[in-house]
Amino acid sequence: MKKAPLPRFQVQPLNSTFGQDIFVKYAKISGELPGPIASDVIATMKKNCYDSTFTYPLVIASGSGCVVKDVDGNSFLDFTSNIGACPLGYSHPDVIGVIAEMSRNGAHKIAGQDFYCKEHADLAEQFVSVLPDGFKAFFINSGAEAVENAIKIAYRKGFAEGQPVLPGVSCTGAFHGRTLGALSFTYSKPVQKAGFPELAVLRIKFCTSDGDQEIDAIEKALAGNKVAFVLTEIVQGEGGYNIASQRFVQNLRDATKKHGVPLILDEVQSGMGRTGKWWAFEHYGVLPDIMSAAKALQVGATAYKSEYDPDQHGVLSSTWGGGSRIDLAVGATVIEVIKRDRLLANVLVMGERLKKGLADLAAGKKGIIDVRGLGLMIGIEFDTKENRDAVLMQAFRRGLLLLPAGQKAMRVIPPLVITAEEVDEGLELMATAAAASL
Ligand SMILES: Cc1ncc(COP(=O)(O)O)c(C=O)c1O
């Protein structure tokens, strides 16, 4: 059957097309995007699959370091880390070693909450070593399920036969996943929620400034209502890379303690070193009662103070949770490598270099209104969605991968192993993309 042609972007050599004489070592684009093989793959996808959240016509084939190669042989400098899920970049020797070893094991995926395996225990040991003291873990498949189980653990704690179901508190701009329970507390985009049923939610404003008039809203909410839990991110991901103010987070912690309500911190995107600490809440000097992790960990995880342990066998389980043995082994390796190679320090140094470079770029550019971030979790706010999207596509055409966040922000989240040379090349590409679009 004849396939419908896809729209193509004409891409030419950097220094001739865009009038910028820049040296590019990592990003190499030749010909049109998408290339012929990518076009075929995308056409097959469009024919057979739901058209989900694809941003640009990239068909990933392989990767090495911070560079992703597409199926037509183009190389892209990756400032997305697959939304933080590839914290060590690509072809990391320790990860490749683990996968090679696991590939000889014929039972690589098991019913991991029904049968034990060593990789489950190894990841648990590594994971618990970077959690607050006394926390326990439950492994599951995804970030949304990690949040679902955090919510379930909170509900279970306050459970009494015949009692009405209490609402959970969540923030404006929040993203906690797309499964129905987690989706109730998500608020970042109407398209994600329209038409779906919800658990009861009490919504408060996510405050990014200590001076916000609603900074004390949590105390009023908890004084006036019985609630099951308070759930928030510390740095909002999908909502636009918004960083909570210190006082906002402290108020959440104080009010939840005072009213005996569990505080759930969702670290699915911000956790495991992305902000230069294992968890973003460490920047605020607070601890959660329950938390969620995923992405960098390779599997989903709910972690909780031991007093929240559901005291009954079988309250939480799933077929594949704790049973994808390659992912569990890679997750443990990620934590080991972050520790061994002192990657948290690299994140802080490279994060500052990148943020400063982007702030310098923004200073001379109409269209960029803010650059903010913690470590290598950096957001760029544009004046309009159109300008954001234009820069994103221009960057893609030049071989720099970036992703949108929220209504008009862009997220910059390279692998934790990024070098100064790669940061600088990304900044050069970003500058030429901005020059071409703003
Ligand atoms: C903070 C946060 N929570 C939950 C999720 C859902 O994770 P998943 O897509 O793995 O279900 C995400 C995904 O982006 C996230 O950023």
Side-chain angles (χ1 to χ4, degrees), residues 83 142-144 147 175-178 233 238 266 268-269 294-295:
I83 327 182
S142 66
V147 174
F175 186 89
H176 298 295
R178 294 177 173 89
E233 297 150 275
E238 308 300 304
D266 183 353
V268 165
Q269 192 155 161
K295 297 198 192 282

Side-chain angles (χ1 to χ4, degrees), residues 234-294:
I234 291 278
V235 181
Q236 288 189 329
E238 308 300 304
Y241 274 42
N242 307 312
I243 306 170
S245 88
Q246 287 284 337
R247 201 169 140 212
F248 177 66
V249 174
Q250 194 57 56
N251 283 351
L252 292 184
R253 185 61 284 186
D254 292 347
T256 46
K257 248 191 199 141
K258 178 174 159 195
H259 294 278
V261 172
L263 175 63
I264 306 173
L265 295 182
D266 183 353
E267 292 268 5
V268 165
Q269 192 155 161
S270 56
M272 294 264 303
R274 171 63 42 202
T275 66
K277 294 194 184 279
W278 288 103
W279 310 106
F281 61 71
E282 293 177 68
H283 292 278
Y284 292 75
V286 300
L287 296 179
D289 299 302
I290 305 169
M291 57 185 275
S292 53

Side-chain angles (χ1 to χ4, degrees), residues 162-430:
Q163 184 187 272
V165 178
L166 299 176
V169 176
S170 163
C171 294
T172 54
F175 186 89
H176 298 295
R178 294 177 173 89
T179 51
L180 282 179
L183 183 65
S184 303
F185 303 97
T186 286
Y187 196 75
S188 52
K189 288 193 192 120
V191 66
Q192 296 156 349
K193 291 178 72 78
F196 300 126
E198 286 199 345
L199 292 172
V201 187
L202 232 164
R203 193 76 59 188
I204 60 166
K205 183 176 177 193
F206 184 84
C207 300
T208 55
S209 142
D210 283 351
D212 195 297
Q213 292 203 328
E214 294 188 42
I215 198 93
D216 297 319
I218 188 63
E219 173 53 32
K220 284 187 210 115
L222 298 193
N225 301 277
K226 277 188 159 239
V227 307
F229 55 85
V230 173
L231 165 64
T232 189
E233 297 150 275
I234 291 278
V235 181
Q236 288 189 329
E238 308 300 304
Y241 274 42
N242 307 312
I243 306 170
S245 88
Q246 287 284 337
R247 201 169 140 212
F248 177 66
V249 174
Q250 194 57 56
N251 283 351
L252 292 184
R253 185 61 284 186
D254 292 347
T256 46
K257 248 191 199 141
K258 178 174 159 195
H259 294 278
V261 172
L263 175 63
I264 306 173
L265 295 182
D266 183 353
E267 292 268 5
V268 165
Q269 192 155 161
S270 56
M272 294 264 303
R274 171 63 42 202
T275 66
K277 294 194 184 279
W278 288 103
W279 310 106
F281 61 71
E282 293 177 68
H283 292 278
Y284 292 75
V286 300
L287 296 179
D289 299 302
I290 305 169
M291 57 185 275
S292 53
K295 297 198 192 282
L297 194 63
Q298 311 298 299
V299 295
T302 311
Y304 50 89
K305 277 183 180 164
S306 49
E307 70 204 63
Y308 284 90
D309 201 89
D311 51 9
Q312 213 182 345
H313 182 70
V315 172
L316 313 173
S317 192
S318 89
T319 302
W320 299 130
S324 182
R325 296 175 68 193
I326 295 175
D327 291 338
L328 293 164
V330 173
T333 303
V334 168
I335 298 178
E336 274 171 38
V337 171
I338 293 175
K339 287 180 184 169
R340 185 196 68 200
D341 295 350
R342 296 184 175 20
L343 290 182
L344 299 184
N346 191 57
V347 169
L348 291 174
V349 174
M350 292 305 144
E352 276 314 302
R353 189 182 186 101
L354 188 48
K355 205 161 65 168
K356 179 173 181 315
L358 290 170
D360 289 348
L361 172 67
K365 266 274 153 273
K366 261 190 11 222
I368 301 178
I369 56 176
D370 190 30
V371 175
R372 53 184 177 254
L374 288 179
L376 285 172
M377 187 167 189
I378 300 173
I380 308 174
E381 188 79 30
F382 287 80
D383 57 348
T384 63
K385 176 185 182 317
E386 290 66 32
N387 277 340
R388 186 270 314 271
D389 292 346
V391 175
L392 197 78
M393 291 311 294
Q394 287 288 343
F396 173 66
R397 292 176 60 184
R398 287 161 172 78
L400 177 66
L401 302 180
L402 296 157
L403 281 172
Q407 301 306 322
K408 52 190 180 62
M410 186 185 282
R411 57 188 124 188
V412 187
I413 37 173
L416 312 185
V417 294
I418 194 165
T419 62
E421 193 180 49
E422 289 161 336
V423 166
D424 293 349
E425 179 166 318
L427 287 168
E428 291 272 19
L429 291 166
M430 184 71 189

